[in-house]
Every structure is written in structure tokens, then in C-alpha cells.
mmCIF file of all heavy atoms in Angstrom:
data_model
loop_
_atom_site.group_PDB
_atom_site.id
_atom_site.type_symbol
_atom_site.label_atom_id
_atom_site.label_comp_id
_atom_site.label_asym_id
_atom_site.label_seq_id
_atom_site.Cartn_x
_atom_site.Cartn_y
_atom_site.Cartn_z
ATOM 1 N N GLY A 8 2.724 -240.415 100.546
ATOM 2 C CA GLY A 8 3.389 -239.103 100.495
ATOM 3 C C GLY A 8 2.633 -238.032 99.752
ATOM 4 O O GLY A 8 3.120 -236.903 99.627
ATOM 5 N N MET A 9 1.435 -238.294 99.255
ATOM 6 C CA MET A 9 0.679 -237.257 98.498
ATOM 7 C C MET A 9 0.287 -236.124 99.396
ATOM 8 O O MET A 9 0.035 -234.994 98.950
ATOM 9 C CB MET A 9 -0.559 -237.893 97.841
ATOM 10 C CG MET A 9 -0.265 -239.010 96.845
ATOM 11 S SD MET A 9 0.977 -238.583 95.612
ATOM 12 C CE MET A 9 0.192 -237.220 94.749
ATOM 13 N N ASP A 10 0.191 -236.384 100.706
ATOM 14 C CA ASP A 10 -0.188 -235.316 101.656
ATOM 15 C C ASP A 10 0.913 -234.264 101.805
ATOM 16 O O ASP A 10 0.618 -233.170 102.285
ATOM 17 C CB ASP A 10 -0.518 -235.927 103.015
ATOM 18 C CG ASP A 10 0.476 -236.991 103.475
ATOM 19 O OD1 ASP A 10 1.150 -237.579 102.630
ATOM 20 O OD2 ASP A 10 0.556 -237.218 104.685
ATOM 21 N N ARG A 11 2.116 -234.556 101.373
ATOM 22 C CA ARG A 11 3.164 -233.534 101.395
ATOM 23 C C ARG A 11 2.949 -232.489 100.296
ATOM 24 O O ARG A 11 3.221 -231.330 100.498
ATOM 25 C CB ARG A 11 4.561 -234.208 101.228
ATOM 26 C CG ARG A 11 4.961 -235.000 102.437
ATOM 27 C CD ARG A 11 6.467 -235.352 102.390
ATOM 28 N NE ARG A 11 6.774 -236.228 101.283
ATOM 29 C CZ ARG A 11 6.787 -237.576 101.362
ATOM 30 N NH1 ARG A 11 6.475 -238.154 102.518
ATOM 31 N NH2 ARG A 11 7.130 -238.295 100.343
ATOM 32 N N GLN A 12 2.446 -232.913 99.161
ATOM 33 C CA GLN A 12 2.197 -232.012 98.061
ATOM 34 C C GLN A 12 0.819 -231.393 98.151
ATOM 35 O O GLN A 12 0.597 -230.263 97.693
ATOM 36 C CB GLN A 12 2.344 -232.738 96.736
ATOM 37 C CG GLN A 12 2.253 -231.849 95.497
ATOM 38 C CD GLN A 12 2.591 -232.607 94.222
ATOM 39 O OE1 GLN A 12 3.016 -233.717 94.233
ATOM 40 N NE2 GLN A 12 2.365 -231.932 93.094
ATOM 41 N N TYR A 13 -0.124 -232.130 98.764
ATOM 42 C CA TYR A 13 -1.498 -231.651 98.917
ATOM 43 C C TYR A 13 -1.815 -231.632 100.430
ATOM 44 O O TYR A 13 -2.327 -232.582 100.949
ATOM 45 C CB TYR A 13 -2.435 -232.562 98.150
ATOM 46 C CG TYR A 13 -2.147 -232.610 96.657
ATOM 47 C CD1 TYR A 13 -1.288 -233.503 96.135
ATOM 48 C CD2 TYR A 13 -2.742 -231.642 95.818
ATOM 49 C CE1 TYR A 13 -0.981 -233.542 94.769
ATOM 50 C CE2 TYR A 13 -2.438 -231.640 94.452
ATOM 51 C CZ TYR A 13 -1.555 -232.606 93.937
ATOM 52 O OH TYR A 13 -1.276 -232.596 92.576
ATOM 53 N N PRO A 14 -1.498 -230.520 101.110
ATOM 54 C CA PRO A 14 -1.493 -230.510 102.582
ATOM 55 C C PRO A 14 -2.865 -230.647 103.218
ATOM 56 O O PRO A 14 -2.939 -230.881 104.427
ATOM 57 C CB PRO A 14 -0.895 -229.136 102.894
ATOM 58 C CG PRO A 14 -1.092 -228.317 101.654
ATOM 59 C CD PRO A 14 -1.019 -229.268 100.520
ATOM 60 N N ASN A 15 -3.950 -230.515 102.456
ATOM 61 C CA ASN A 15 -5.260 -230.692 103.038
ATOM 62 C C ASN A 15 -5.706 -232.164 103.003
ATOM 63 O O ASN A 15 -6.819 -232.478 103.436
ATOM 64 C CB ASN A 15 -6.313 -229.854 102.310
ATOM 65 C CG ASN A 15 -6.111 -228.368 102.537
ATOM 66 O OD1 ASN A 15 -5.633 -227.965 103.584
ATOM 67 N ND2 ASN A 15 -6.454 -227.550 101.576
ATOM 68 N N LEU A 16 -4.877 -233.054 102.559
ATOM 69 C CA LEU A 16 -5.195 -234.465 102.490
ATOM 70 C C LEU A 16 -4.579 -235.237 103.675
ATOM 71 O O LEU A 16 -3.466 -234.943 104.087
ATOM 72 C CB LEU A 16 -4.719 -235.110 101.179
ATOM 73 C CG LEU A 16 -5.341 -234.573 99.906
ATOM 74 C CD1 LEU A 16 -4.850 -235.350 98.687
ATOM 75 C CD2 LEU A 16 -6.867 -234.629 99.969
ATOM 76 N N ILE A 17 -5.356 -236.194 104.192
ATOM 77 C CA ILE A 17 -4.894 -237.041 105.307
ATOM 78 C C ILE A 17 -4.869 -238.481 104.766
ATOM 79 O O ILE A 17 -5.851 -238.938 104.199
ATOM 80 C CB ILE A 17 -5.851 -236.936 106.471
ATOM 81 C CG1 ILE A 17 -5.878 -235.510 107.052
ATOM 82 C CG2 ILE A 17 -5.482 -237.923 107.576
ATOM 83 C CD1 ILE A 17 -6.958 -235.299 108.063
ATOM 84 N N ILE A 18 -3.767 -239.166 105.016
ATOM 85 C CA ILE A 18 -3.666 -240.561 104.565
ATOM 86 C C ILE A 18 -4.374 -241.472 105.547
ATOM 87 O O ILE A 18 -4.337 -241.237 106.759
ATOM 88 C CB ILE A 18 -2.214 -240.965 104.371
ATOM 89 C CG1 ILE A 18 -2.114 -242.346 103.680
ATOM 90 C CG2 ILE A 18 -1.459 -241.003 105.692
ATOM 91 C CD1 ILE A 18 -0.715 -242.707 103.245
ATOM 92 N N VAL A 19 -5.083 -242.451 105.035
ATOM 93 C CA VAL A 19 -5.626 -243.534 105.857
ATOM 94 C C VAL A 19 -4.579 -244.642 105.797
ATOM 95 O O VAL A 19 -4.426 -245.297 104.749
ATOM 96 C CB VAL A 19 -6.983 -244.014 105.325
ATOM 97 C CG1 VAL A 19 -7.517 -245.163 106.194
ATOM 98 C CG2 VAL A 19 -7.986 -242.868 105.261
ATOM 99 N N PRO A 20 -3.818 -244.853 106.872
ATOM 100 C CA PRO A 20 -2.558 -245.607 106.767
ATOM 101 C C PRO A 20 -2.658 -247.135 106.758
ATOM 102 O O PRO A 20 -1.952 -247.824 107.479
ATOM 103 C CB PRO A 20 -1.826 -245.127 108.022
ATOM 104 C CG PRO A 20 -2.875 -244.876 109.031
ATOM 105 C CD PRO A 20 -4.077 -244.320 108.233
ATOM 106 N N VAL A 21 -3.567 -247.643 105.929
ATOM 107 C CA VAL A 21 -3.682 -249.064 105.721
ATOM 108 C C VAL A 21 -3.684 -249.300 104.201
ATOM 109 O O VAL A 21 -4.568 -248.810 103.499
ATOM 110 C CB VAL A 21 -4.980 -249.650 106.336
ATOM 111 C CG1 VAL A 21 -5.070 -251.164 106.106
ATOM 112 C CG2 VAL A 21 -5.085 -249.305 107.813
ATOM 113 N N PRO A 22 -2.679 -250.020 103.636
ATOM 114 C CA PRO A 22 -2.647 -250.181 102.210
ATOM 115 C C PRO A 22 -3.831 -250.942 101.649
ATOM 116 O O PRO A 22 -4.294 -251.909 102.261
ATOM 117 C CB PRO A 22 -1.330 -250.951 101.981
ATOM 118 C CG PRO A 22 -1.006 -251.594 103.308
ATOM 119 C CD PRO A 22 -1.597 -250.693 104.368
ATOM 120 N N LEU A 23 -4.324 -250.507 100.503
ATOM 121 C CA LEU A 23 -5.451 -251.137 99.842
ATOM 122 C C LEU A 23 -5.012 -252.250 98.931
ATOM 123 O O LEU A 23 -5.670 -253.269 98.761
ATOM 124 C CB LEU A 23 -6.264 -250.114 99.070
ATOM 125 C CG LEU A 23 -6.810 -248.940 99.894
ATOM 126 C CD1 LEU A 23 -7.565 -247.965 98.977
ATOM 127 C CD2 LEU A 23 -7.711 -249.443 101.018
ATOM 128 N N LEU A 24 -3.870 -252.039 98.250
ATOM 129 C CA LEU A 24 -3.300 -253.043 97.335
ATOM 130 C C LEU A 24 -1.888 -252.596 96.972
ATOM 131 O O LEU A 24 -1.479 -251.470 97.307
ATOM 132 C CB LEU A 24 -4.137 -253.172 96.050
ATOM 133 C CG LEU A 24 -4.183 -251.982 95.101
ATOM 134 C CD1 LEU A 24 -4.333 -252.435 93.665
ATOM 135 C CD2 LEU A 24 -5.324 -251.040 95.432
ATOM 136 N N THR A 25 -1.150 -253.441 96.265
ATOM 137 C CA THR A 25 0.196 -253.117 95.800
ATOM 138 C C THR A 25 0.075 -252.737 94.347
ATOM 139 O O THR A 25 -0.513 -253.450 93.501
ATOM 140 C CB THR A 25 1.155 -254.302 95.985
ATOM 141 O OG1 THR A 25 1.256 -254.601 97.353
ATOM 142 C CG2 THR A 25 2.509 -253.954 95.409
ATOM 143 N N TYR A 26 0.640 -251.608 94.000
ATOM 144 C CA TYR A 26 0.594 -251.030 92.643
ATOM 145 C C TYR A 26 1.944 -251.289 91.981
ATOM 146 O O TYR A 26 2.996 -250.923 92.541
ATOM 147 C CB TYR A 26 0.331 -249.545 92.739
ATOM 148 C CG TYR A 26 -0.346 -248.888 91.584
ATOM 149 C CD1 TYR A 26 -1.754 -248.908 91.482
ATOM 150 C CD2 TYR A 26 0.355 -248.227 90.604
ATOM 151 C CE1 TYR A 26 -2.372 -248.266 90.408
ATOM 152 C CE2 TYR A 26 -0.245 -247.633 89.543
ATOM 153 C CZ TYR A 26 -1.645 -247.625 89.460
ATOM 154 O OH TYR A 26 -2.274 -247.016 88.404
ATOM 155 N N GLU A 27 1.958 -251.895 90.814
ATOM 156 C CA GLU A 27 3.194 -252.261 90.142
ATOM 157 C C GLU A 27 3.256 -251.535 88.796
ATOM 158 O O GLU A 27 2.398 -251.723 87.939
ATOM 159 C CB GLU A 27 3.226 -253.782 89.922
ATOM 160 C CG GLU A 27 4.601 -254.335 89.675
ATOM 161 C CD GLU A 27 4.597 -255.837 89.657
ATOM 162 O OE1 GLU A 27 3.671 -256.456 89.078
ATOM 163 O OE2 GLU A 27 5.530 -256.425 90.215
ATOM 164 N N ILE A 28 4.295 -250.719 88.612
ATOM 165 C CA ILE A 28 4.468 -249.960 87.370
ATOM 166 C C ILE A 28 5.404 -250.762 86.462
ATOM 167 O O ILE A 28 6.550 -251.092 86.821
ATOM 168 C CB ILE A 28 5.087 -248.572 87.632
ATOM 169 C CG1 ILE A 28 4.177 -247.751 88.505
ATOM 170 C CG2 ILE A 28 5.366 -247.846 86.305
ATOM 171 C CD1 ILE A 28 2.839 -247.377 87.903
ATOM 172 N N VAL A 29 4.928 -251.071 85.252
ATOM 173 C CA VAL A 29 5.707 -251.882 84.293
ATOM 174 C C VAL A 29 5.686 -251.246 82.943
ATOM 175 O O VAL A 29 4.944 -250.276 82.668
ATOM 176 C CB VAL A 29 5.125 -253.344 84.205
ATOM 177 C CG1 VAL A 29 5.200 -254.058 85.528
ATOM 178 C CG2 VAL A 29 3.676 -253.307 83.664
ATOM 179 N N VAL A 30 6.531 -251.773 82.031
ATOM 180 C CA VAL A 30 6.604 -251.327 80.677
ATOM 181 C C VAL A 30 5.958 -252.328 79.718
ATOM 182 O O VAL A 30 6.277 -253.519 79.774
ATOM 183 C CB VAL A 30 8.079 -251.084 80.218
ATOM 184 C CG1 VAL A 30 8.170 -250.729 78.750
ATOM 185 C CG2 VAL A 30 8.731 -250.043 81.119
ATOM 186 N N PHE A 31 5.051 -251.846 78.879
ATOM 187 C CA PHE A 31 4.387 -252.693 77.862
ATOM 188 C C PHE A 31 4.975 -252.321 76.475
ATOM 189 O O PHE A 31 5.158 -251.120 76.229
ATOM 190 C CB PHE A 31 2.884 -252.478 77.842
ATOM 191 C CG PHE A 31 2.203 -252.780 79.148
ATOM 192 C CD1 PHE A 31 2.016 -251.816 80.147
ATOM 193 C CD2 PHE A 31 1.724 -254.066 79.379
ATOM 194 C CE1 PHE A 31 1.410 -252.135 81.336
ATOM 195 C CE2 PHE A 31 1.078 -254.378 80.573
ATOM 196 C CZ PHE A 31 0.926 -253.436 81.547
ATOM 197 N N THR A 32 5.270 -253.279 75.673
ATOM 198 C CA THR A 32 5.834 -252.992 74.342
ATOM 199 C C THR A 32 5.102 -253.780 73.245
ATOM 200 O O THR A 32 4.521 -254.852 73.515
ATOM 201 C CB THR A 32 7.346 -253.365 74.266
ATOM 202 O OG1 THR A 32 7.474 -254.789 74.238
ATOM 203 C CG2 THR A 32 8.111 -252.811 75.435
ATOM 204 N N HIS A 33 5.221 -253.232 72.051
ATOM 205 C CA HIS A 33 4.688 -253.929 70.856
ATOM 206 C C HIS A 33 5.804 -253.896 69.787
ATOM 207 O O HIS A 33 5.865 -252.949 69.002
ATOM 208 C CB HIS A 33 3.401 -253.207 70.338
ATOM 209 C CG HIS A 33 2.875 -253.792 69.085
ATOM 210 N ND1 HIS A 33 2.687 -253.070 67.940
ATOM 211 C CD2 HIS A 33 2.503 -255.073 68.817
ATOM 212 C CE1 HIS A 33 2.193 -253.864 66.991
ATOM 213 N NE2 HIS A 33 2.076 -255.087 67.508
ATOM 214 N N GLY A 34 6.658 -254.862 69.867
ATOM 215 C CA GLY A 34 7.735 -254.926 68.880
ATOM 216 C C GLY A 34 8.976 -254.152 69.255
ATOM 217 O O GLY A 34 9.992 -254.216 68.539
ATOM 218 N N THR A 35 8.963 -253.424 70.346
ATOM 219 C CA THR A 35 10.175 -252.684 70.788
ATOM 220 C C THR A 35 10.817 -253.511 71.892
ATOM 221 O O THR A 35 10.251 -253.777 72.926
ATOM 222 C CB THR A 35 9.785 -251.307 71.363
ATOM 223 O OG1 THR A 35 9.123 -250.584 70.348
ATOM 224 C CG2 THR A 35 10.999 -250.549 71.818
ATOM 225 N N ASP A 36 12.055 -253.920 71.586
ATOM 226 C CA ASP A 36 12.754 -254.819 72.539
ATOM 227 C C ASP A 36 14.068 -254.177 73.011
ATOM 228 O O ASP A 36 14.870 -253.733 72.140
ATOM 229 C CB ASP A 36 13.061 -256.168 71.881
ATOM 230 C CG ASP A 36 13.392 -257.214 72.885
ATOM 231 O OD1 ASP A 36 13.217 -257.001 74.101
ATOM 232 O OD2 ASP A 36 13.875 -258.310 72.449
ATOM 233 N N PHE A 37 14.290 -254.077 74.275
ATOM 234 C CA PHE A 37 15.517 -253.506 74.799
ATOM 235 C C PHE A 37 15.732 -253.983 76.211
ATOM 236 O O PHE A 37 14.804 -254.545 76.836
ATOM 237 C CB PHE A 37 15.467 -251.968 74.770
ATOM 238 C CG PHE A 37 14.412 -251.358 75.667
ATOM 239 C CD1 PHE A 37 14.721 -250.829 76.871
ATOM 240 C CD2 PHE A 37 13.064 -251.313 75.237
ATOM 241 C CE1 PHE A 37 13.756 -250.282 77.688
ATOM 242 C CE2 PHE A 37 12.097 -250.756 76.037
ATOM 243 C CZ PHE A 37 12.444 -250.222 77.276
ATOM 244 N N LEU A 38 16.923 -253.786 76.736
ATOM 245 C CA LEU A 38 17.218 -254.166 78.096
ATOM 246 C C LEU A 38 16.695 -253.096 79.046
ATOM 247 O O LEU A 38 17.157 -251.951 79.026
ATOM 248 C CB LEU A 38 18.736 -254.336 78.274
ATOM 249 C CG LEU A 38 19.224 -254.763 79.684
ATOM 250 C CD1 LEU A 38 18.670 -256.120 80.065
ATOM 251 C CD2 LEU A 38 20.733 -254.717 79.761
ATOM 252 N N LEU A 39 15.749 -253.503 79.850
ATOM 253 C CA LEU A 39 15.129 -252.542 80.784
ATOM 254 C C LEU A 39 15.955 -252.450 82.042
ATOM 255 O O LEU A 39 16.132 -253.483 82.756
ATOM 256 C CB LEU A 39 13.691 -252.975 81.135
ATOM 257 C CG LEU A 39 12.891 -252.076 82.097
ATOM 258 C CD1 LEU A 39 12.760 -250.687 81.498
ATOM 259 C CD2 LEU A 39 11.518 -252.682 82.347
ATOM 260 N N ASN A 40 16.463 -251.290 82.350
ATOM 261 C CA ASN A 40 17.306 -251.083 83.509
ATOM 262 C C ASN A 40 16.949 -249.749 84.178
ATOM 263 O O ASN A 40 17.727 -248.781 84.107
ATOM 264 C CB ASN A 40 18.775 -251.159 83.120
ATOM 265 C CG ASN A 40 19.696 -251.076 84.349
ATOM 266 O OD1 ASN A 40 19.275 -251.392 85.460
ATOM 267 N ND2 ASN A 40 20.922 -250.616 84.117
ATOM 268 N N GLY A 41 15.784 -249.674 84.735
ATOM 269 C CA GLY A 41 15.348 -248.454 85.400
ATOM 270 C C GLY A 41 14.765 -247.424 84.443
ATOM 271 O O GLY A 41 14.715 -247.628 83.204
#
């Protein structure tokens, strides 16, 4: 979807890898819910 914000870009429609966004903590503990 980056081509919607940057209209001069064209996507090459084959995924290169799966990107996973996570939370890293150092002593901070809580229930992660979104």
C-alpha cells in the first residue's frame, strides 16, 4: 500500500519476506493487547 501515499512508486507484487512487529522490554511487564 505504499504506492497509495507515494504515487510514483510501483509495487513488485511478490513478497520478499514476512515482517513481524513485536514489543521488546527490559523489566517492564504488562498484558499486551494491541
Side-chain angles (χ1 to χ4, degrees):
M9 300 310 297
D10 44 337
R11 290 194 294 269
Q12 187 173 352
Y13 299 90
N15 291 330
L16 296 184
I17 298 171
I18 190 170
V19 180
V21 181
L23 303 178
L24 67 148
T25 298
Y26 207 85
E27 199 172 43
I28 300 294
V29 297
V30 175
F31 299 90
T32 73
H33 177 236
T35 301
D36 196 12
F37 64 100
L38 180 63
L39 181 60
N40 184 23

